[in-house]
Coordinates of all heavy atoms in Angstrom, one line a residue:
Chain X
T2 N -38.2 -82.1 -37.1 CA -37.1 -83.0 -36.6 C -35.8 -82.5 -37.0 O -35.6 -82.1 -38.2 CB -37.3 -84.4 -37.2 OG1 -38.6 -84.9 -36.8 CG2 -36.3 -85.4 -36.8
R43 N -8.0 -109.5 -37.1 CA -7.1 -110.3 -38.0 C -7.3 -110.0 -39.5 O -7.6 -110.9 -40.3 CB -7.2 -111.7 -37.7 CG -6.5 -112.1 -36.4 CD -6.9 -113.4 -35.8 NE -8.2 -113.2 -35.1 CZ -8.8 -114.0 -34.2 NH1 -8.2 -115.1 -33.9 NH2 -9.9 -113.8 -33.7
A46 N -12.8 -106.5 -41.2 CA -13.6 -105.6 -40.5 C -14.4 -106.4 -39.5 O -15.0 -107.4 -39.8 CB -14.5 -104.8 -41.4
K47 N -14.4 -106.0 -38.2 CA -15.2 -106.7 -37.2 C -16.6 -106.0 -37.1 O -17.6 -106.6 -37.2 CB -14.5 -106.8 -35.9 CG -15.3 -107.5 -34.8 CD -14.5 -107.8 -33.6 CE -15.4 -108.2 -32.5 NZ -16.3 -109.3 -32.8
Q48 N -16.5 -104.7 -36.7 CA -17.7 -104.0 -36.6 C -17.4 -102.5 -37.0 O -16.4 -102.0 -36.6 CB -18.3 -104.0 -35.2 CG -19.6 -103.3 -35.2 CD -20.3 -103.5 -33.9 OE1 -20.0 -103.0 -32.8 NE2 -21.4 -104.3 -33.9
M49 N -18.3 -102.0 -37.8 CA -18.2 -100.6 -38.1 C -19.5 -99.9 -37.6 O -20.6 -100.4 -37.7 CB -18.1 -100.4 -39.6 CG -16.8 -101.0 -40.2 SD -16.6 -100.8 -41.9 CE -17.6 -102.0 -42.6
K50 N -19.3 -98.8 -36.9 CA -20.3 -98.1 -36.2 C -20.4 -96.6 -36.6 O -19.4 -96.0 -36.8 CB -20.2 -98.2 -34.7 CG -20.3 -99.6 -34.2 CD -20.0 -99.7 -32.7 CE -21.0 -99.0 -31.8 NZ -20.7 -99.3 -30.4
A51 N -21.6 -96.1 -36.6 CA -21.8 -94.7 -36.8 C -22.9 -94.3 -35.9 O -23.8 -95.1 -35.6 CB -22.1 -94.3 -38.2
A52 N -23.0 -93.0 -35.5 CA -24.1 -92.5 -34.6 C -24.3 -91.1 -34.9 O -23.4 -90.3 -35.0 CB -23.7 -92.8 -33.2
Q53 N -25.6 -90.7 -34.9 CA -26.0 -89.3 -34.9 C -26.7 -89.1 -33.6 O -27.8 -89.7 -33.4 CB -26.9 -89.0 -36.1 CG -26.2 -89.0 -37.5 CD -26.2 -90.4 -38.1 OE1 -27.3 -91.1 -38.1 NE2 -25.1 -90.8 -38.7
S55 N -28.2 -86.6 -30.4 CA -28.6 -85.3 -30.0 C -29.1 -85.4 -28.6 O -29.8 -86.4 -28.3 CB -29.6 -84.7 -30.9 OG -30.7 -85.5 -31.1
I70 N -35.2 -80.1 -13.5 CA -34.3 -80.4 -14.6 C -34.9 -81.7 -15.4 O -35.5 -82.5 -14.8 CB -32.9 -80.7 -14.2 CG1 -32.0 -80.8 -15.4 CG2 -32.8 -81.9 -13.3 CD1 -30.5 -80.8 -15.0
S72 N -33.7 -84.2 -19.0 CA -32.9 -84.4 -20.2 C -33.7 -85.2 -21.2 O -34.6 -86.0 -20.9 CB -31.7 -85.2 -19.8 OG -30.9 -84.5 -18.9
T73 N -33.4 -84.9 -22.5 CA -34.1 -85.7 -23.6 C -33.2 -85.7 -24.8 O -32.4 -84.9 -25.0 CB -35.5 -85.1 -23.9 OG1 -36.1 -85.8 -24.9 CG2 -35.3 -83.6 -24.4
T74 N -33.5 -86.8 -25.6 CA -32.8 -86.8 -26.9 C -33.7 -86.4 -28.0 O -33.3 -86.4 -29.2 CB -32.4 -88.3 -27.2 OG1 -33.5 -89.1 -27.3 CG2 -31.4 -88.8 -26.1
R83 N -42.1 -81.5 -23.8 CA -42.2 -82.5 -22.8 C -41.0 -82.3 -21.8 O -41.2 -82.6 -20.6 CB -42.0 -83.9 -23.5 CG -42.3 -85.1 -22.6 CD -42.1 -86.4 -23.3 NE -42.4 -87.5 -22.5 CZ -41.8 -88.7 -22.6 NH1 -40.9 -88.9 -23.6 NH2 -42.1 -89.7 -21.8
D98 N -32.5 -75.5 0.0 CA -31.2 -75.2 0.7 C -30.0 -75.0 -0.3 O -28.9 -74.7 0.1 CB -30.8 -76.3 1.7 CG -31.8 -76.4 2.8 OD1 -32.5 -75.4 3.1 OD2 -31.9 -77.5 3.4
P149 N -7.2 -108.0 -29.5 CA -8.7 -108.2 -29.2 C -9.4 -106.9 -29.0 O -10.6 -106.8 -29.3 CB -8.7 -109.0 -28.0 CG -7.3 -108.9 -27.3 CD -6.4 -108.6 -28.5
K191 N 1.5 -117.8 -19.2 CA 0.2 -117.2 -19.2 C 0.2 -116.1 -20.3 O 1.2 -115.4 -20.6 CB 0.0 -116.5 -17.9 CG -0.3 -117.5 -16.8 CD -0.6 -116.7 -15.5 CE -0.8 -117.6 -14.3 NZ -0.9 -116.8 -13.0
G262 N -19.9 -83.4 2.3 CA -19.3 -84.2 3.4 C -18.7 -85.5 2.9 O -18.5 -86.4 3.7
K341 N -28.7 -80.6 -9.0 CA -27.6 -80.7 -8.0 C -26.3 -80.7 -8.9 O -26.0 -81.8 -9.5 CB -27.7 -81.9 -7.1 CG -26.6 -82.0 -6.1 CD -26.8 -83.3 -5.3 CE -25.5 -83.6 -4.5 NZ -25.4 -82.7 -3.4
A380 N -9.0 -101.4 -12.4 CA -10.2 -101.6 -11.5 C -10.3 -100.4 -10.5 O -10.6 -100.7 -9.4 CB -10.1 -102.9 -10.8
H382 N -12.5 -98.3 -10.3 CA -13.9 -98.1 -9.9 C -14.2 -99.0 -8.7 O -15.1 -98.7 -7.9 CB -14.8 -98.5 -11.0 CG -14.8 -99.9 -11.4 ND1 -13.8 -100.5 -12.1 CD2 -15.7 -100.9 -11.2 CE1 -14.0 -101.8 -12.3 NE2 -15.2 -102.1 -11.8
A383 N -13.4 -100.1 -8.5 CA -13.7 -101.0 -7.4 C -12.7 -100.9 -6.3 O -13.1 -101.0 -5.1 CB -13.7 -102.5 -8.0
K386 N -11.4 -96.2 -2.5 CA -12.4 -95.7 -1.6 C -12.1 -94.2 -1.4 O -11.4 -93.8 -0.5 CB -12.3 -96.4 -0.2 CG -12.4 -97.9 -0.3 CD -13.9 -98.3 -0.6 CE -14.0 -99.8 -0.7 NZ -14.7 -100.2 -1.9
T388 N -13.9 -91.8 -0.4 CA -14.3 -91.1 0.8 C -13.4 -91.5 2.0 O -13.4 -90.8 3.0 CB -15.7 -91.5 1.2 OG1 -15.9 -92.9 1.3 CG2 -16.7 -90.9 0.1
Q389 N -12.7 -92.6 1.9 CA -11.8 -93.0 3.0 C -10.4 -92.8 2.7 O -9.5 -92.8 3.7 CB -12.0 -94.5 3.2 CG -13.4 -94.9 3.6 CD -13.6 -96.4 3.7 OE1 -12.7 -97.1 4.1 NE2 -14.8 -96.9 3.4
S393 N -6.6 -100.2 -3.1 CA -6.0 -101.5 -3.2 C -6.3 -102.0 -4.7 O -7.4 -102.3 -5.0 CB -6.7 -102.5 -2.2 OG -6.1 -103.8 -2.4
T413 N -1.0 -106.6 -6.5 CA -1.8 -105.4 -6.2 C -0.9 -104.4 -5.4 O 0.0 -104.8 -4.7 CB -3.1 -105.7 -5.3 OG1 -2.6 -106.2 -4.0 CG2 -3.9 -106.7 -5.9
T451 N 1.3 -106.7 -2.9 CA 0.9 -108.1 -2.7 C 1.0 -108.9 -4.0 O 0.5 -108.5 -5.0 CB -0.6 -108.3 -2.2 OG1 -0.7 -107.4 -1.1 CG2 -0.9 -109.7 -1.8
Chain W
T2 N -44.8 -90.1 -25.1 CA -44.4 -90.3 -26.5 C -45.2 -91.4 -27.1 O -45.6 -92.4 -26.5 CB -42.9 -90.7 -26.4 OG1 -42.2 -89.7 -25.8 CG2 -42.4 -90.9 -27.8
E43 N -30.5 -86.7 0.5 CA -29.4 -86.6 1.3 C -29.9 -86.0 2.6 O -30.5 -84.9 2.6 CB -28.3 -85.7 0.7 CG -27.7 -86.3 -0.6 CD -26.8 -85.4 -1.3 OE1 -27.3 -84.5 -2.0 OE2 -25.6 -85.5 -1.1
R46 N -33.3 -84.1 3.0 CA -33.7 -83.3 1.8 C -33.7 -84.2 0.5 O -32.8 -85.0 0.4 CB -32.7 -82.1 1.5 CG -32.9 -81.0 2.5 CD -34.1 -80.1 2.1 NE -34.1 -78.9 2.9 CZ -35.3 -78.3 3.1 NH1 -36.4 -78.7 2.7 NH2 -35.2 -77.1 3.8
P52 N -35.6 -86.5 -14.3 CA -36.3 -87.3 -15.4 C -35.5 -87.2 -16.7 O -35.0 -86.1 -17.0 CB -37.7 -86.5 -15.5 CG -37.6 -85.4 -14.5 CD -36.2 -85.2 -14.1
F54 N -35.8 -88.5 -20.8 CA -36.5 -89.2 -21.9 C -35.6 -89.5 -23.1 O -34.7 -88.6 -23.4 CB -37.7 -88.4 -22.4 CG -38.6 -87.9 -21.3 CD1 -38.6 -86.5 -21.0 CD2 -39.3 -88.8 -20.6 CE1 -39.4 -86.1 -20.0 CE2 -40.2 -88.3 -19.6 CZ -40.2 -87.0 -19.2
R56 N -35.4 -91.4 -27.2 CA -36.0 -92.1 -28.3 C -35.0 -92.3 -29.4 O -34.3 -91.3 -29.7 CB -37.2 -91.2 -28.7 CG -38.1 -91.8 -29.7 CD -39.4 -90.8 -29.8 NE -40.2 -91.0 -30.9 CZ -41.1 -92.0 -31.0 NH1 -41.3 -92.8 -30.0 NH2 -41.9 -92.1 -32.1
R67 N -19.7 -110.0 -41.1 CA -19.3 -108.7 -40.6 C -20.6 -107.9 -40.4 O -21.7 -108.3 -40.9 CB -18.5 -107.9 -41.7 CG -17.1 -108.5 -41.9 CD -16.4 -107.7 -42.9 NE -16.9 -107.8 -44.2 CZ -16.9 -106.8 -45.1 NH1 -16.5 -105.6 -44.8 NH2 -17.5 -106.9 -46.3
D68 N -20.5 -106.8 -39.6 CA -21.7 -106.0 -39.5 C -21.4 -104.5 -39.4 O -20.3 -104.1 -39.0 CB -22.6 -106.4 -38.3 CG -21.9 -106.1 -36.9 OD1 -21.1 -107.0 -36.5 OD2 -22.2 -105.1 -36.4
F70 N -23.2 -100.9 -38.0 CA -24.2 -100.5 -37.1 C -24.3 -99.0 -37.0 O -23.3 -98.3 -36.9 CB -23.9 -101.1 -35.7 CG -24.9 -100.6 -34.6 CD1 -26.1 -101.2 -34.5 CD2 -24.5 -99.6 -33.7 CE1 -27.0 -100.8 -33.6 CE2 -25.4 -99.2 -32.8 CZ -26.7 -99.8 -32.7
V71 N -25.5 -98.5 -37.1 CA -25.7 -97.0 -37.1 C -26.8 -96.8 -36.1 O -27.9 -97.4 -36.1 CB -26.1 -96.5 -38.5 CG1 -26.4 -95.0 -38.3 CG2 -25.0 -96.7 -39.5
S72 N -26.6 -95.8 -35.2 CA -27.7 -95.4 -34.3 C -28.0 -93.9 -34.5 O -27.2 -93.1 -35.0 CB -27.3 -95.6 -32.8 OG -26.2 -94.8 -32.5
N74 N -31.1 -90.6 -33.2 CA -32.2 -90.2 -32.4 C -33.4 -89.8 -33.4 O -34.4 -89.3 -32.9 CB -31.8 -89.0 -31.5 CG -30.8 -89.4 -30.5 OD1 -29.8 -88.8 -30.4 ND2 -31.1 -90.4 -29.7
D75 N -33.1 -89.8 -34.6 CA -34.1 -89.4 -35.6 C -35.0 -90.5 -36.1 O -34.5 -91.4 -36.9 CB -33.4 -88.7 -36.8 CG -34.3 -88.1 -37.8 OD1 -35.5 -88.3 -37.7 OD2 -33.8 -87.4 -38.7
Q87 N -26.4 -95.6 -44.5 CA -25.0 -95.5 -43.9 C -24.5 -96.8 -43.5 O -23.3 -97.2 -43.8 CB -25.1 -94.5 -42.8 CG -23.7 -94.0 -42.4 CD -23.7 -93.0 -41.2 OE1 -24.8 -92.6 -40.7 NE2 -22.6 -92.5 -40.9
M91 N -21.2 -99.0 -45.2 CA -20.1 -99.5 -44.5 C -19.7 -100.9 -45.0 O -18.5 -101.3 -44.9 CB -20.5 -99.7 -43.0 CG -20.7 -98.4 -42.3 SD -21.3 -98.7 -40.6 CE -21.4 -97.1 -40.0
Q150 N -21.9 -89.3 9.0 CA -21.6 -88.0 8.5 C -22.5 -87.7 7.2 O -22.9 -86.6 7.0 CB -20.1 -88.0 8.0 CG -19.7 -86.6 7.5 CD -18.2 -86.6 7.4 OE1 -17.5 -86.9 8.3 NE2 -17.7 -86.2 6.2
R194 N -13.0 -94.1 9.2 CA -14.1 -93.9 8.3 C -14.5 -95.2 7.7 O -13.7 -96.1 7.5 CB -13.6 -93.0 7.1 CG -13.4 -91.5 7.5 CD -13.0 -90.7 6.3 NE -13.4 -89.3 6.5 CZ -13.8 -88.4 5.6 NH1 -13.9 -88.8 4.4 NH2 -14.1 -87.2 6.0
S196 N -17.5 -96.4 4.5 CA -18.6 -96.0 3.6 C -19.2 -97.3 3.1 O -18.5 -98.2 2.7 CB -18.1 -95.2 2.4 OG -16.9 -95.8 1.8
A237 N -2.3 -109.0 3.8 CA -2.3 -109.5 2.4 C -1.6 -110.8 2.3 O -0.8 -111.2 3.1 CB -1.7 -108.5 1.5
E267 N -15.0 -114.7 -30.1 CA -14.7 -113.9 -31.3 C -13.4 -113.1 -31.1 O -12.6 -112.9 -32.1 CB -15.8 -112.9 -31.5 CG -17.1 -113.5 -31.9 CD -18.2 -112.5 -32.1 OE1 -18.0 -111.4 -32.7 OE2 -19.3 -112.7 -31.5
R268 N -13.1 -112.7 -29.9 CA -11.9 -111.9 -29.7 C -10.7 -112.8 -29.3 O -9.6 -112.3 -29.1 CB -12.1 -110.9 -28.5 CG -13.1 -109.8 -28.8 CD -13.3 -109.0 -27.6 NE -14.4 -108.0 -27.7 CZ -14.2 -106.8 -28.2 NH1 -13.0 -106.4 -28.5 NH2 -15.3 -106.0 -28.3
S269 N -10.9 -114.1 -29.2 CA -9.8 -115.0 -28.8 C -9.3 -114.6 -27.4 O -8.1 -114.7 -27.1 CB -8.7 -115.0 -29.7 OG -9.1 -115.4 -31.0
G385 N -17.4 -103.9 -6.5 CA -17.3 -104.1 -8.0 C -16.1 -104.9 -8.4 O -15.2 -105.1 -7.5
G386 N -16.0 -105.2 -9.6 CA -14.8 -106.0 -10.1 C -14.7 -105.8 -11.6 O -15.5 -105.2 -12.3
N395 N -10.5 -109.3 -10.9 CA -10.3 -108.7 -9.6 C -11.6 -108.2 -9.1 O -12.5 -107.9 -9.8 CB -9.3 -107.5 -9.7 CG -9.9 -106.5 -10.6 OD1 -10.7 -105.7 -10.2 ND2 -9.4 -106.4 -11.8
S397 N -13.3 -106.1 -5.3 CA -13.0 -105.6 -4.0 C -13.9 -106.2 -2.9 O -15.1 -106.5 -3.2 CB -13.1 -104.0 -4.0 OG -14.4 -103.7 -4.2
E399 N -16.0 -105.4 0.4 CA -16.5 -104.2 1.2 C -16.5 -104.5 2.7 O -16.2 -103.7 3.5 CB -17.9 -103.9 0.7 CG -18.1 -103.4 -0.7 CD -17.6 -102.0 -0.9 OE1 -17.1 -101.3 0.1 OE2 -17.6 -101.5 -2.1
T417 N -8.6 -106.7 -1.8 CA -8.9 -106.9 -3.2 C -8.5 -108.3 -3.5 O -7.4 -108.8 -3.2 CB -8.1 -105.9 -4.1 OG1 -8.5 -104.6 -3.8 CG2 -8.4 -106.2 -5.6
E424 N -7.3 -120.8 -13.1 CA -6.7 -121.4 -11.9 C -7.7 -121.4 -10.7 O -7.7 -122.2 -9.9 CB -5.5 -120.5 -11.5 CG -4.4 -120.7 -12.5 CD -3.2 -119.9 -12.1 OE1 -3.3 -119.1 -11.2 OE2 -2.1 -120.0 -12.8
G467 N -5.1 -108.9 -1.9 CA -4.3 -107.7 -1.9 C -4.8 -106.8 -0.8 O -5.9 -106.7 -0.5

Side-chain angles (χ1 to χ4, degrees):
Chain X
T2 299
R43 284 158 283 195
K47 178 168 168 53
Q48 187 171 69
M49 295 185 280
K50 291 172 71 171
Q53 290 88 43
S55 54
I70 187 168
S72 299
T73 181
T74 61
R83 189 182 181 208
D98 295 338
K191 287 182 185 175
K341 179 183 172 68
H382 67 287
K386 303 285 178 230
T388 56
Q389 299 177 33
S393 179
T413 66
T451 306
Chain W
T2 301
E43 294 174 280
R46 286 280 189 208
F54 310 110
R56 188 168 165 83
R67 294 182 292 146
D68 69 271
F70 176 76
V71 177
S72 64
N74 296 125
D75 185 352
Q87 194 177 2
M91 291 173 180
Q150 182 169 309
R194 286 186 159 212
S196 50
E267 292 176 47
R268 293 175 189 270
S269 303
N395 61 78
S397 65
E399 296 286 358
T417 297
E424 293 178 356

